[in-house]
Amino acid sequence: MKTLRHTDAVIVGGGWTGLLMAKELTARTPLSVVVLERGASRRKGEYSASMDELDYYIRLRMMQDPSQETVTLRHSRDDRALPLRQHGAFLPGTGTGGAGEHWSGIAYRYLPDVFELLTRTREKYGVKRMPEDHSIEDWGVTYNELEPYYVRAERLMGISGRAGNLNGRAIAGGNPFEGPRSVDFPNPPTKIPYLAAMFRDAASSLGYHPYALPAATISQAYTNPDGIARPACTYCGYCERFGCMIGAKAQPSNTLLPLIARQKSVSLKNDCWVQKIVHKDGRARGVVYRDSKGAEFFQPADMVFLASWTLNNTRLLLLSQIGEAYDPATGRGSVGRNLTHQVAAPAVTGFFEKPLNRFMGAGSAGVAIADFDGDVFDHTGLPFLRGGTLYSVCYGFKPMTNFGVTPPSVKARWGPEWKRAALDWYDRTGRIQLYGEHLAYRGNFMDLDPVYKDAFGQPLLRLTLDWRDNERRMAEFLTAKAVEIARAMGARQTIPFAGLKHYDGTRYQGTHLQGGAIMGASPERSAVNTHMQSWRMPNLFVLGASAFPQNPSGNPTLTAVALTYRAADAIVERYVKRPQLL
Amino acid sequence: MRRREFLEISVSAVGGALIYSLDRRPTLLGAQTLRVPLRFFTASEAKIVAAAAARIFPSDDAGPGANEAGVVIYIDRQLAGPYGRDRWRYTQEPFEAGLPELGYQGRETPRQIYRAGLAKLAGFDALDAAAQDAALRAIELTPFFALLRTHTIEGMFCDPMHGGNAGMVGWQLIGFPGPSMSFDDEVEKYYGRAFRPKPQSLEQISGERVKPSEES
């Protein structure tokens, strides 16, 4: 194994959080930084040749290669875990920019009470109404503390939307239930495709409060505070699972990479697969990685940052034996605990009278309601806590994956009758999605699999994950509301979501897995503090949604980026001068 | 290496022309027949696949179907390529049966599933339509049929560079424009009215030859 030249900081993972940390450190300090990304580099203009449903949407060219490494899954500790042999429920990205390249661009702030979920829920509903085996935690940081960092994250990406709450003042057309914003969005809302406009009008007619989704597919040309200019979205519909060919969607490759390329003090190395963090006497000493030829290197560093997404952050901590692995039997140990996956489902599929032109749109060109989100509605007499949003987004429906859906009245699945019906309904079929909270439970966690290995012979990560009645009942409640809206949109027939049974590793439900290295105010109940710093190893920082103690209803990227800004401030302003626990 | 096999299809059956096939361009036999070099199937397997796809997505008065789109060519290329040999699937031992929520746990690759499934459909292409439908109904719940149905839809609506959707007949059938660079002017203009621009393939809009995954 070759030992490389020492660097001040090594960052594992070249996505949103890793590249943002690299940019902040090198722009504001003299530190030298090495970013190790296990996937390939990005060529300028490569996305113009990527508008292909088969290779990108179905064959998943932007995702990690499951033949090299996957995870195993079981529903409970009594089951035998088996590998997810192909992608299904979630899509971890790879290559420079990570999943931040292929995301849809929906950029939510979380509701204020999300950050104090344990305290607020216990206060309002009492311990008895909380699920028996929950492991809900407060984040250790409040919405108000995070608000300035949300502003910076939104400006970085040029998020488009309309404030619903500007310094406590209600603004029509925005989300009235959101936390107060100190400033409005950097850009106005996106254009609204027809299906989403139907959803908006129907939701209004029912007395709900529709608003345009906060969108990283920006509504007008925009130059961010770093001087990075991007054009307006053109609604071509190639966002989710694709890179944006014109760069309108905020991606690490178009907002952060150009700045990093200019900085001499940072080097971004691709095809470097980090195997473990080397540590001694309570301090991280660097990382060991393999290059594409399999050669092993030791990269020594004074600071180590894990920024390799929820699952790999947790796996590297476990493989490196840093911190205490979580034991569900005793509840002890913080690494691996509180695994959650946002509750996401097609709440209802509706069959409409008029053509929708649903190939037009963008990953975040849509309309949502938050009338049943969080605790904004009264849960008295309801058999569950918390909630979620309902929305209709025209992400650019493509035919290979969407053709063939027919109303319940059509029984055939192939042949002339099916073909005629599928053609007839093809462009008149639309969905309302539900995105709900997933509470944390003692029995949902991650550890290392005892049987299955990756391409290098290291144990795979094992997920022990299943739904509880709280999520099942919440999804049922949201589904009924969605059906009501679909009818008000004029749906002639509907297919409601069949409901959550057991966690399904085959049904895509968004890449919003969280937990494993959660943040908090005490080292007994969390792996990192509110500056993403390891309690056990003060020169190790773990960035991203692995820190979220439980899963709010909104998409995690904006919050992950805001927390990275906050950590960067603490490191630049305090840690660099006095390297100790912040 | 096995003897190269060809699929012979009538020119009038495929939608206009077959889009390019890289190194193995189809060659014209006389004026009425295309000879398409096969990459995975034998000629007799290809005939069964073509006949079965044509029952799943028939050509009828509702419009063209699997024959005109060249679905069998799409499937042949997919199976010959990395997908067909499970290049991207986790295939480490042990293989064990599991809950449906854990996804396909079998050892067999798509190629092996097709080969075994087709062996049981010997003579299928010579049957009449009613007998073909009965034969497909008998295997409707098998993983082989699930793949065949999915691949038939894919071959109807893929970008033509993958060998299906010949002449973009599939896209014309449903009014899908293919990968267009902008709908900025149209996205809020056509509420409730069909907007059906002429389809264009990825090669046409990007102006360059794109290497599809099956060639990798």
Side-chain angles (χ1 to χ4, degrees):
Chain A
M1 182 164 59
K2 189 179 169 192
T3 297
L4 300 168
R5 214 175 65 177
H6 171 272
T7 180
D8 292 322
V10 65
I11 299 176
V12 183
W16 272 123
T17 61
L19 291 188
L20 178 60
M21 183 57 76
K23 179 217 133 193
E24 290 291 302
L25 291 182
T26 51
R28 298 167 64 186
T29 74
L31 296 175
S32 59
V33 176
V34 172
V35 181
L36 300 173
E37 163 57 43
R38 79 185 199 181
S41 59
R42 301 274 179 222
R43 279 184 297 111
K44 191 170 163 53
E46 76 173 79
Y47 294 141
S48 63
S50 80
M51 299 171 85
D52 180 45
E53 185 183 11
L54 179 67
D55 283 352
Y56 285 79
Y57 204 89
I58 297 174
R59 302 281 179 253
L60 303 170
R61 194 179 276 186
M62 299 187 74
M63 311 309 163
Q64 292 174 19
D65 179 353
S67 76
Q68 302 284 301
E69 182 196 328
T70 182
V71 296
T72 67
L73 172 68
R74 57 182 182 171
H75 288 137
S76 80
R77 285 199 293 150
D78 303 327
D79 301 329
R80 170 90 191 269
L82 290 179
L84 296 178
R85 293 185 179 274
Q86 52 274 306
H87 286 304
F90 48 89
L91 297 172
T94 193
T96 300
E101 298 295 293
H102 78 253
W103 70 319
S104 63
I106 300 172
Y108 268 109
R109 294 180 176 200
Y110 288 154
L111 293 170
D113 67 351
V114 155
F115 298 96
E116 301 154 276
L117 195 65
L118 179 63
T119 305
R120 299 282 191 97
T121 310
R122 212 162 40 194
E123 269 170 21
K124 184 160 175 189
Y125 295 100
V127 176
K128 280 196 178 148
R129 261 203 76 179
M130 297 177 73
E132 200 181 342
D133 63 336
H134 82 84
S135 58
I136 300 170
E137 299 284 355
D138 291 344
W139 293 48
V141 65
T142 64
Y143 174 82
N144 287 341
E145 286 172 293
L146 204 54
E147 205 279 337
Y149 302 100
Y150 270 139
V151 172
R152 278 163 72 181
E154 285 162 348
R155 287 179 174 163
L156 173 77
M157 301 183 190
I159 303 303
S160 300
R162 176 167 293 132
N165 179 343
L166 203 52
N167 292 308
R169 187 165 51 93
I171 309 282
N175 175 8
F177 307 108
E178 68 180 4
R181 292 171 182 271
S182 58
V183 290
D184 204 343
F185 284 93
N187 287 305
T190 67
K191 290 184 177 177
I192 304 299
Y194 180 50
L195 178 70
M198 288 164 67
F199 175 88
R200 177 193 63 202
D201 297 345
S204 281
S205 75
L206 293 167
Y208 303 139
H209 301 83
Y211 58 92
L213 286 170
T217 53
I218 57 177
S219 58
Q220 59 185 13
Y222 174 72
T223 302
N224 79 5
D226 298 319
I228 297 289
R230 288 164 33 226
C233 172
T234 59
Y235 307 94
C236 75
Y238 286 77
C239 317
E240 192 186 349
R241 307 192 191 184
F242 301 91
C244 181
M245 51 295 311
I246 61 168
K249 181 174 76 176
Q251 299 161 171
S253 66
N254 61 22
T255 59
L256 296 168
L257 197 57
L259 300 168
I260 283 168
R262 274 183 233 152
Q263 281 286 358
K264 289 206 169 61
S265 52
V266 56
S267 110
L268 167 62
K269 296 162 90 169
N270 288 94
D271 303 304
C272 295
W273 195 304
V274 172
Q275 309 282 306
K276 67 174 176 186
I277 302 151
V278 177
H279 57 97
K280 199 179 164 195
D281 305 328
R283 283 185 63 77
R285 306 286 162 165
V287 300
V288 169
Y289 71 87
R290 285 179 191 271
D291 70 7
S292 57
K293 297 185 185 85
E296 231 177 7
F297 298 88
F298 173 52
Q299 172 63 66
D302 287 337
M303 300 166 75
V304 174
F305 292 85
L306 292 185
S308 61
W309 197 58
T310 294
L311 300 186
N312 203 50
N313 280 356
T314 306
R315 182 167 180 255
L316 282 175
L317 290 173
L318 292 166
L319 287 174
S320 313
Q321 298 181 303
I322 293 172
E324 191 178 350
Y326 174 70
D327 178 355
T330 62
R332 281 179 52 84
S334 57
V335 179
R337 68 175 290 196
N338 285 33
L339 170 64
T340 58
H341 193 174
Q342 197 168 49
V343 177
V348 63
T349 302
F351 298 88
F352 298 96
E353 189 185 332
K354 291 181 177 163
L356 300 170
N357 301 315
R358 60 183 183 153
F359 51 83
M360 299 192 274
S364 42
V367 172
I369 61 165
D371 295 74
F372 304 106
D373 198 7
D375 199 40
V376 303
F377 62 112
D378 185 12
H379 285 73
T380 307
L382 293 176
F384 61 93
L385 296 171
R386 309 302 292 174
T389 59
L390 293 172
Y391 68 74
S392 227
V393 62
C394 276
Y395 69 87
F397 287 80
K398 291 164 201 69
M400 297 174 80
T401 34
N402 286 293
F403 186 87
V405 178
T406 51
S409 58
V410 178
K411 299 301 172 208
R413 302 301 303 135
W414 53 277
E417 184 204 343
W418 166 78
K419 176 193 167 186
R420 188 173 292 277
L423 288 174
D424 192 29
W425 289 104
Y426 176 68
D427 194 32
R428 298 190 292 142
T429 305
R431 288 201 288 265
I432 299 173
Q433 298 283 134
L434 71 84
Y435 257 39
E437 289 186 42
H438 186 200
L439 302 179
Y441 298 94
R442 285 199 289 274
N444 287 340
F445 66 101
M446 294 175 260
D447 61 2
L448 294 174
D449 191 273
V451 177
Y452 293 96
K453 313 275 191 239
D454 71 7
F456 302 108
Q458 301 275 11
L460 297 184
L461 191 68
R462 175 169 66 179
L463 314 186
T464 304
L465 181 60
D466 204 1
W467 306 120
R468 303 290 189 272
D469 283 344
N470 197 70
E471 291 80 53
R472 296 186 180 112
R473 289 167 180 159
M474 179 186 72
E476 196 181 346
F477 175 86
L478 289 169
T479 296
K481 300 294 179 193
V483 170
E484 179 192 28
I485 297 171
R487 294 218 175 97
M489 288 164 73
R492 291 179 177 180
Q493 295 189 57
T494 57
I495 303 176
F497 177 53
L500 294 175
K501 290 169 184 74
H502 292 286
Y503 181 83
D504 185 349
T506 69
R507 181 180 68 80
Y508 183 66
Q509 56 162 66
T511 304
H512 309 154
L513 282 157
Q514 296 167 11
I518 69 170
M519 60 192 285
S522 91
E524 287 74 42
R525 299 162 73 91
S526 54
V528 296
N529 65 20
T530 63
H531 303 291
M532 313 285 113
Q533 183 181 30
S534 164
W535 289 112
R536 296 292 184 96
M537 205 167 281
N539 67 334
L540 172 68
F541 294 81
V542 188
L543 308 175
S546 51
F548 298 3
Q550 51 274 326
N551 212 310
S553 63
N555 309 41
T557 298
L558 195 77
T559 304
V561 168
L563 285 167
T564 303
Y565 268 123
R566 189 169 178 275
D569 271 9
I571 293 164
V572 169
E573 288 159 17
R574 292 189 278 142
Y575 181 87
V576 171
K577 290 164 199 149
R578 291 191 64 186
Q580 59 185 31
L581 209 56
L582 289 160
Chain B
M1 199 175 158
R2 74 180 167 89
R3 190 171 58 87
R4 179 168 291 186
E5 305 236 1
F6 293 88
L7 173 69
E8 294 187 1
I9 38 179
S10 153
V11 170
S12 58
V14 284
L18 286 169
I19 304 302
Y20 75 93
S21 69
L22 298 176
D23 55 319
R24 301 189 206 174
R25 195 166 282 278
T27 51
L28 216 51
L29 248 197
Q32 292 306 313
T33 312
L34 281 169
R35 289 188 81 211
V36 182
L38 290 163
R39 300 182 189 179
F40 172 71
F41 292 132
T42 65
S44 58
E45 284 174 331
K47 282 183 192 157
I48 298 171
V49 171
R55 294 314 300 160
I56 292 169
F57 207 114
S59 313
D60 54 21
D61 55 5
N67 275 336
E68 291 81 1
V71 161
V72 61
I73 301 167
Y74 166 82
I75 300 177
D76 181 60
R77 291 183 187 182
Q78 286 301 307
L79 293 176
Y83 162 79
R85 63 175 189 271
D86 264 344
R87 161 64 186 83
W88 299 302
R89 197 164 72 94
Y90 182 82
T91 51
Q92 288 203 29
E93 307 269 356
F95 285 92
E96 287 184 16
L99 297 170
E101 291 94 336
L102 304 179
Y104 175 61
Q105 293 288 337
R107 189 184 292 272
E108 293 74 22
T109 64
R111 288 182 186 182
Q112 291 165 327
I113 293 171
Y114 264 87
R115 203 124 261 168
L118 289 171
K120 291 182 187 159
L121 286 182
F124 179 89
D125 51 310
L127 302 174
D128 65 28
Q132 286 182 338
D133 285 354
L136 292 180
R137 270 195 297 276
I139 59 163
E140 219 171 0
L141 300 176
T142 62
F144 167 57
F145 184 81
L147 281 187
L148 189 61
R149 180 182 179 276
T150 298
H151 292 163
T152 299
I153 294 173
E154 289 175 359
M156 281 303 302
F157 301 113
C158 63
D159 191 281
M161 71 177 169
H162 297 292
N165 187 24
M168 293 182 273
V169 289
W171 288 356
Q172 289 171 52
L173 190 60
I174 54 169
F176 181 69
S180 173
M181 290 304 281
S182 177
F183 296 118
D184 189 37
D185 293 334
E186 293 87 6
V187 67
E188 288 188 325
K189 193 166 142 192
Y190 283 86
Y191 280 10
R193 287 188 296 136
F195 171 55
R196 301 288 179 253
K198 187 171 179 283
Q200 287 193 293
S201 69
L202 180 56
E203 197 178 313
Q204 285 170 329
I205 68 136
S206 69
E208 59 180 295
R209 199 157 105 173
V210 177
K211 192 177 176 186
S213 61
E214 60 269 22
E215 308 287 346
S216 61

